[in-house]
Amino acid sequence: MQDSILKFEQLVNENASSIPKMSKEALEFKPLGKWSKKEILGHLTDSAIHNLVRFTEIHYLEKPYHHRPYNQIDLVNLNQYQQMDIEQLTQLWFSVNKQIMRIMESVDEKALEYKIILSDSSVIELKFLMTDYVEHLEHHINQIKS
């Protein structure tokens, strides 16, 4: 888990300063049928918000925890990330992820084994959800940087 936390911290800290330095054209260019780099960052913000709720709720709601999916495309459109100031968007993404880092750093070994039931009825543990969150973040950061 510690390796995931270190990777997570590095991804967030490095990219919070580098993303706003990208050109407006690069950030807002939308390939046909795909998200712009700004919208990808917006998607990562939505993911952070939803996962922050999951990573905290699991500690006080009835076990096993039931994972609730969300509509990623609708959220990116409704939140109008394409029109949002990149500094403001980056700060929002950064702040929510800093809080997730605090949660990850303080979670105990027993809690990492909490069971989570996904919408397809498969079962995972909190540790998997947290490490998968970091992998998801890295995947999309690589898309933004490419």
Side-chain angles (χ1 to χ4, degrees), residues 4 13 16 18 20 25 39 43 52 68-69 86 105 110 127 130 135 137 139-141 144:
S4 285
N13 289 335
S18 66
E25 294 76 24
E39 289 173 319
H43 163 67
L52 176 59
R68 293 179 313 276
I86 192 60
E105 290 168 346
K110 183 178 179 202
K127 181 178 182 176
M130 286 181 162
E135 296 303 317
L137 176 71
H139 166 75
H140 286 302
I141 289 294
I144 292 170

Side-chain angles (χ1 to χ4, degrees), residues 3-140:
D3 288 344
S4 285
I5 293 170
L6 290 172
K7 180 195 283 188
F8 181 35
E9 188 171 24
Q10 182 179 6
L11 283 166
V12 170
N13 289 335
E14 286 177 4
N15 290 288
S17 58
S18 66
I19 290 173
K21 294 176 184 170
M22 297 175 75
S23 74
K24 181 177 169 93
E25 294 76 24
L27 287 166
E28 294 182 355
F29 173 72
K30 280 184 68 125
L32 189 61
K34 295 189 177 194
W35 285 332
S36 69
K37 294 176 187 303
K38 268 174 98 172
E39 289 173 319
I40 293 169
L41 185 61
H43 163 67
L44 288 174
T45 302
D46 292 334
S47 175
I49 291 166
H50 281 83
N51 279 291
L52 176 59
V53 170
R54 292 169 180 152
F55 297 162
T56 54
E57 279 185 343
I58 195 167
H59 295 282
Y60 63 84
L61 290 181
E62 184 179 334
K63 313 286 185 290
Y65 181 79
H66 289 265
H67 179 277
R68 293 179 313 276
Y70 60 96
N71 190 314
Q72 300 171 17
I73 295 169
D74 283 347
L75 278 177
V76 166
N77 293 331
L78 288 166
N79 283 304
Q80 302 174 20
Y81 294 123
Q82 184 73 351
Q83 291 76 37
M84 195 170 180
D85 174 74
I86 192 60
E87 295 283 344
Q88 182 183 9
L89 176 56
T90 304
Q91 187 59 47
L92 177 60
W93 171 78
F94 178 78
S95 296
V96 178
N97 277 294
K98 287 302 254 187
Q99 181 60 25
I100 290 173
M101 264 181 242
R102 284 189 277 281
I103 301 291
M104 289 176 133
E105 290 168 346
S106 67
V107 70
D108 63 40
E109 288 298 318
K110 183 178 179 202
L112 289 173
E113 296 175 5
Y114 287 161
K115 303 292 186 235
I116 300 169
I117 300 175
L118 301 178
S119 56
D120 67 0
S121 298
S122 58
V123 179
I124 61 171
E125 292 182 345
L126 178 59
K127 181 178 182 176
F128 176 82
L129 189 61
M130 286 181 162
T131 57
D132 187 62
Y133 175 75
V134 175
E135 296 303 317
H136 173 258
L137 176 71
E138 182 177 40
H139 166 75
H140 286 302

